[in-house]
Amino acid sequence: MRAALSALGISIGIATMIVVVGIPASSQQQLMNELQALGTNLLRAEVAPGTSGELPPVPENSPEMAKRIGPVRLASAIANAQSTVTRTDRVTDSSGLSVLVAKPDLLEVLNGKVHSGTFLNDANSSFPTVVLGDKAATRLGITEPGPQVWIGKTWFTVVGILDRLPLAPDVERSVLVGWGAAKTHLNFSGHPTVVYVKAEEQAIDDVRGVLPATVFPESPGEIRVSRPSDALAAKRLTENTFSALFLGLAGVALLVGGVGVANTMVISVLERKREIGLRRALGATRGEIRGQFVTESVALCLLGGLSGAALGVLGTAGYAAWRGWPTVIPMTAVFTGIGAALLVGVLAGAYPAVRASRLAPTEALAAP
């Protein structure tokens, strides 16, 4: 019973260590996912407002040029079609909504989703079809795909409505037209006005430095690139804070487990004095007594470490599933916990083992 309770104490200590590391890690991953959705790796390049003089247009292939930057993963573009949109051709007043020309991959770059219908693609971008931003659909009074809107001098069929798009409020308030359809029906020149770039987060500052010369080599000084989202700084600060928290919690859990093992082994020596005396009287050496107690300590810690690791993994997975978080089990914590349990077993069993080996046979046999 004593051995079982001792192993249980170690198991709880190791499980606690894994849980206090795993649950914050799962919480951190959830937070990282939420911050990632805020565009921590997104850049927006456009001609700075108020530029003087006549500038050549931004090259039509500027998104493809941006993709040549090593850390860039996705790039897309939009352009202002300089047109108006209304529900009917009988009304001359504009709805106040912008008509933007969009690439089919725009939604992927902006982490957007389609609420209903479909987005622009290679099949429908050349036809008079539009996708409405969330606020644009509300203003036009359209709730489902199917109706038509009047843009320029052409009827365009609504094929999709977007969900909220916090990364691009201007797109939320706009009507999106395909590149080919805009050229055919709206006299669109094909030159983008805004280029969106999604790059590797750790290289976002480097990409920001070379992006103007890449997308607009004729006049890179006139290009304004949006700074990385403030969420990026929050994300980096959060990662550092969580790392320090992990180390602190794991250290405390290991300390508690080690004290528990040492206490268990010291009590074991005090309770088993007669056994120790009998073994010494029968010829057991001090080294054999030390080996016995160290081996017991290591065996208890190994058993407790393995069972504690299993309990910690199950506890972390269960809590993360209950909260709807992604389950993150740091395997380094699991293996470190088991290894630390063995180390603690050796260290915690050393003093009791030495103390037991120094007991004289007569003194040990005379103990109550």
Side-chain angles (χ1 to χ4, degrees):
M1 180 61 69
R2 181 178 62 244
L5 292 177
S6 300
L8 178 61
I10 304 303
S11 176
I12 293 175
I14 299 303
T16 301
M17 186 195 74
I18 294 176
V19 167
V20 299
V21 172
I23 289 180
S26 300
S27 175
Q28 181 195 27
Q29 186 60 48
Q30 175 68 16
L31 178 59
M32 293 302 103
N33 292 342
E34 293 177 358
L35 291 176
Q36 185 74 25
L38 296 178
T40 56
N41 60 344
L42 181 68
L43 294 175
R44 172 187 171 118
E46 60 186 326
V47 176
T51 53
S52 58
E54 291 293 331
L55 291 176
V58 176
E60 186 173 355
N61 64 340
S62 55
E64 288 70 24
M65 296 162 65
K67 291 179 183 178
R68 297 175 184 174
I69 303 174
V72 171
R73 293 294 169 259
L74 294 170
S76 188
I78 60 174
N80 195 324
Q82 304 296 331
S83 298
T84 59
V85 55
T86 58
R87 283 298 306 269
T88 173
D89 57 347
R90 303 297 181 181
V91 177
T92 58
D93 293 337
S94 171
S95 62
L97 300 175
S98 300
V99 179
L100 298 181
V101 188
K103 296 276 190 179
D105 54 0
L106 176 67
L107 213 57
E108 184 179 4
V109 177
L110 296 180
N111 298 334
K113 294 181 180 179
V114 176
H115 176 72
S116 59
T118 184
F119 192 65
L120 300 171
N121 52 49
D122 294 336
N124 61 23
S125 291
S126 298
F127 296 97
T129 57
V130 296
V131 174
L132 305 181
D134 174 58
K135 291 182 173 59
T138 301
R139 185 173 298 182
L140 291 172
I142 298 175
T143 58
E144 295 293 336
Q148 291 185 320
V149 293
W150 182 256
I151 303 177
K153 297 181 180 181
T154 306
W155 287 105
F156 283 73
T157 302
V158 176
V159 296
I161 299 175
L162 300 180
D163 270 334
R164 292 184 64 254
L165 202 60
L167 291 182
D170 52 337
V171 176
E172 284 187 332
R173 299 186 296 269
S174 302
V175 175
L176 304 180
V177 181
W179 219 263
K183 289 182 177 180
T184 302
H185 302 284
L186 303 178
N187 296 321
F188 174 53
S189 64
H191 297 282
T193 54
V194 178
V195 177
Y196 290 101
V197 169
K198 183 179 286 187
E200 294 178 3
E201 191 171 290
Q202 63 272 18
I204 197 74
D205 294 327
D206 296 331
V207 173
R208 181 172 180 263
V210 301
L211 189 58
T214 303
V215 299
F216 199 11
E218 290 86 351
S219 186
E222 303 296 340
I223 293 293
R224 181 184 65 181
V225 179
S226 64
R227 298 180 62 185
S229 170
D230 291 339
L232 178 58
K235 183 175 180 180
R236 290 172 177 171
L237 179 61
T238 301
E239 288 175 344
N240 296 334
T241 303
F242 270 106
S243 298
L245 177 64
F246 295 163
L247 292 177
L249 291 176
V252 171
L254 280 178
L255 178 61
V256 172
V259 171
V261 174
N263 179 67
T264 298
M265 298 309 298
V266 170
I267 296 300
S268 178
V269 170
L270 296 177
E271 291 181 348
R272 298 163 65 185
K273 281 186 177 181
R274 292 178 62 83
E275 174 193 339
I276 296 170
L278 180 59
R279 291 200 63 195
R280 290 295 309 280
L282 293 176
T285 64
R286 288 186 175 182
E288 290 171 338
I289 297 297
R290 288 194 297 268
Q292 173 189 350
F293 280 88
V294 170
T295 301
E296 288 182 9
S297 177
V298 171
L300 288 177
C301 287
L302 179 59
L303 178 61
L306 293 175
S307 58
L311 289 175
V313 169
L314 292 176
T316 300
Y319 186 83
W322 175 61
R323 294 298 302 269
W325 295 342
T327 301
V328 178
I329 306 295
M331 297 310 297
T332 53
V334 175
F335 293 118
T336 300
I338 297 174
L342 292 176
L343 179 61
V344 166
V346 174
L347 296 178
Y351 170 72
V354 172
R355 180 173 178 176
S357 67
R358 289 179 178 177
L359 287 176
T362 54
E363 177 187 352
L365 289 171

